[in-house]
Amino acid sequence: MRRAADAITVALTVNDRPARMIVESRTSLADALRDELGLTGTHVACEQGICGACTVEVDGEAVRACLLLAVQADGAEVRTVEGLAAPGEPLHPIQQAFTDQHALQCGFCTPGLLMTVHHLLTERHGVDEAEVRTVVSGHLCRCTGYQGIVDAVLQADRAWDRTPGDRAG
């Protein structure tokens, strides 16, 4: 049960929509997104920032949401995996590439990988396999092996028509 002294109002923009939530000062951004806003695509696993499952974008940077307190995100723009493609719309080119290349199996690590790749590809065109391997090495995947993931990122880089720095998805 929350005590009034522990309740803090956090206002942020999540997936291009304003959001307000009341959280305890110790609530991680991952838990707040899941529990307060119902955005369960942000997965929580290690809670130490090692596995990458909780990766989201905060003000355009890929961050581990389990390591960031929700109160630290007050006023920020947050993008979660749910913000890549709206329901009923075609998959985002990154999501489509992961599907095409069979770059997922159980799917637990996939949302974090998608957000890390989204950040990479908004920053750069023309990534190479070595760079992709370095970037995805920060994620633990026990099902697929990484070749399908690497192939998906390379496909998405070719297929996604974007301008550098385009954060819109």
Side-chain angles (χ1 to χ4, degrees):
M1 173 179 256
R2 284 191 193 123
R3 296 180 315 196
D6 292 336
I8 299 171
T9 300
V10 175
L12 54 155
T13 302
V14 180
N15 300 329
D16 301 320
R17 301 171 83 173
R20 294 180 83 73
M21 55 190 159
I22 299 173
V23 297
E24 294 179 16
S25 59
R26 65 182 180 180
T27 303
S28 72
L29 179 59
D31 287 338
L33 291 168
R34 293 179 59 79
D35 299 340
E36 302 299 324
L37 299 181
L39 298 171
T40 57
T42 302
H43 293 168
V44 179
C46 73
E47 297 188 78
Q48 297 176 7
I50 296 168
C51 72
C54 67
T55 303
V56 298
E57 290 179 346
V58 176
D59 290 336
E61 296 297 322
V63 301
R64 303 297 207 245
C66 73
L67 297 179
L68 187 69
L69 296 174
V71 297
Q72 291 175 289
D74 190 35
E77 290 190 25
V78 177
R79 182 168 308 281
T80 70
V81 71
E82 291 92 345
L84 291 182
E89 290 185 6
L91 293 176
H92 187 282
I94 298 169
Q95 293 169 309
Q96 187 62 57
F98 268 64
T99 300
D100 293 347
Q101 296 297 327
H102 308 286
L104 54 105
Q105 283 183 20
C106 83
F108 193 82
C109 67
T110 306
L113 275 162
L114 291 171
M115 296 313 299
T116 294
V117 170
H118 185 264
H119 176 258
L120 169 67
L121 297 182
T122 58
E123 297 293 315
R124 292 206 357 85
H125 284 266
V127 295
D128 62 29
E129 184 171 337
E131 182 177 12
V132 172
R133 286 188 181 281
T134 298
V135 169
V136 302
S137 71
H139 289 267
L140 298 178
C141 175
R142 296 183 176 181
C143 296
T144 64
Y146 289 86
Q147 189 59 51
I149 294 168
V150 171
D151 293 343
V153 176
L154 295 173
Q155 175 184 322
D157 186 33
R158 291 187 305 270
W160 185 14
D161 184 23
R162 72 232 185 251
T163 58
D166 175 20
R167 302 253 177 239

